Amino acid sequence: MESLYHQSNKQVHEVQSHMGLLETSDKQSIHLVENEIQARIDQIFSNLERLEILCSKEPPSKRQNAKLRVDQLKYDVQHLQTALRNFQHRRYVRDQQDREREELLTRSYTTNDSETTIHMDETLQFNSSIRNAHQGIDDLLGSGSSVLEGLRDQRKTLKGTHKKILDVANMLGLSNTVMRLIEKRAFQDKAIMIGGMLLTCVFMILVIKYLT
């Protein structure tokens, strides 16, 4: 394990020294330097897998220390891998910007440039779509306001109708009371009349019987 660890640690330092070549290499050789660094990093990762297996076979008294050393080595390699990827990303962006700048400098525009016309048409269509969307939203808000106003008017109408129904109900209740009183009075008057007629008949019968 010790020999493999020292070998891997040496490779890490070699990769660190090669990282400095990335900034000084020209465009023709930069890819070769990147590929060499990536190959060394892959080899170190392969060694780390073997080292992790060997750590598990170490005596318990040495296992913890060995694991810490391997973890530190793994951290260093991951840091180098991240640095390489960041450099490659920056180089890609820089190359892309250079190509676009070169294209703009070498490009000639005319009044009838079809691509320029296409871009302008797309921009006009986009602006028109935005205006239509805004108009649709305004119309939707206006419709919503109209619906709310109609609901308010219906609420007022329903309140007035409800009040009228209550008034009519109250009037009907009063009319029913009056009708009951009239019916009761008519029944009383009818009873008095019948009673009076009966008393008159009895009185006439008594007079005829005792006075004649």
Side-chain angles (χ1 to χ4, degrees):
M1 175 180 175
E2 289 297 327
S3 60
L4 184 59
Y5 172 79
H6 289 297
Q7 179 185 352
S8 302
N9 192 32
K10 181 180 178 181
Q11 290 176 340
V12 169
H13 291 293
E14 290 176 353
V15 171
Q16 290 175 345
S17 63
H18 278 73
M19 292 291 292
L21 298 176
L22 293 174
E23 299 294 341
T24 59
S25 300
D26 54 20
K27 292 184 177 180
Q28 288 74 20
S29 61
I30 188 67
H31 294 287
L32 297 176
V33 177
E34 290 178 354
N35 293 336
E36 182 180 357
I37 292 175
Q38 186 61 58
R40 290 175 180 267
I41 290 175
D42 292 339
Q43 181 61 45
I44 297 172
F45 275 122
S46 178
N47 293 343
L48 286 172
E49 293 179 358
R50 295 174 56 193
L51 286 171
E52 289 179 345
I53 296 174
L54 294 174
C55 281
S56 62
K57 297 180 180 181
E58 287 288 316
S61 58
K62 297 181 179 180
R63 189 177 303 165
Q64 185 65 26
N65 186 36
K67 188 176 185 305
L68 290 175
R69 294 167 63 192
V70 173
D71 290 342
Q72 181 61 42
L73 192 61
K74 183 186 297 185
Y75 172 80
D76 294 338
V77 179
Q78 291 175 346
H79 179 73
L80 291 173
Q81 181 70 77
T82 303
L84 177 61
R85 290 175 179 173
N86 290 338
F87 176 82
Q88 291 174 334
H89 177 70
R90 292 196 304 271
R91 180 179 59 79
Y92 173 79
V93 173
R94 185 169 59 250
D95 292 344
Q96 182 70 20
Q97 292 175 347
D98 292 340
R99 286 193 298 269
E100 292 177 354
R101 187 182 302 108
E102 184 68 21
E103 182 181 356
L104 289 174
L105 292 175
T106 57
R107 188 173 185 178
S108 59
Y109 294 95
T110 62
T111 55
N112 295 324
D113 195 333
S114 60
E115 187 173 351
T116 304
T117 304
I118 292 174
H119 289 324
M120 292 180 65
D121 291 340
E122 291 177 351
T123 303
L124 291 175
Q125 291 176 0
F126 180 72
N127 291 334
S128 178
S129 299
I130 292 177
R131 287 196 300 269
N132 293 334
H134 288 171
Q135 184 64 36
I137 293 174
D138 293 338
D139 295 341
L140 182 61
L141 292 175
S143 300
S145 299
S146 300
V147 171
L148 290 176
E149 187 65 27
L151 291 175
R152 294 193 188 98
D153 295 338
Q154 291 180 6
R155 183 182 178 184
K156 293 179 181 178
T157 303
L158 290 174
K159 283 185 176 180
T161 303
H162 184 260
K163 184 178 180 181
K164 290 180 180 179
I165 291 173
L166 292 177
D167 293 339
V168 171
N170 292 330
M171 291 178 63
L172 289 175
L174 181 61
S175 299
N176 291 333
T177 302
V178 173
M179 291 297 295
R180 284 195 296 270
L181 291 175
I182 292 174
E183 291 176 356
K184 184 178 180 180
R185 183 61 180 272
F187 177 77
Q188 292 176 350
D189 292 343
K190 186 177 181 180
I192 292 173
M193 181 186 67
I194 293 174
M197 291 175 63
L198 291 175
L199 289 176
T200 301
C201 292
V202 171
F203 179 76
M204 290 177 64
I205 292 171
L206 292 176
V207 170
I208 294 172
K209 182 177 179 180
Y210 293 103
L211 296 179
T212 60

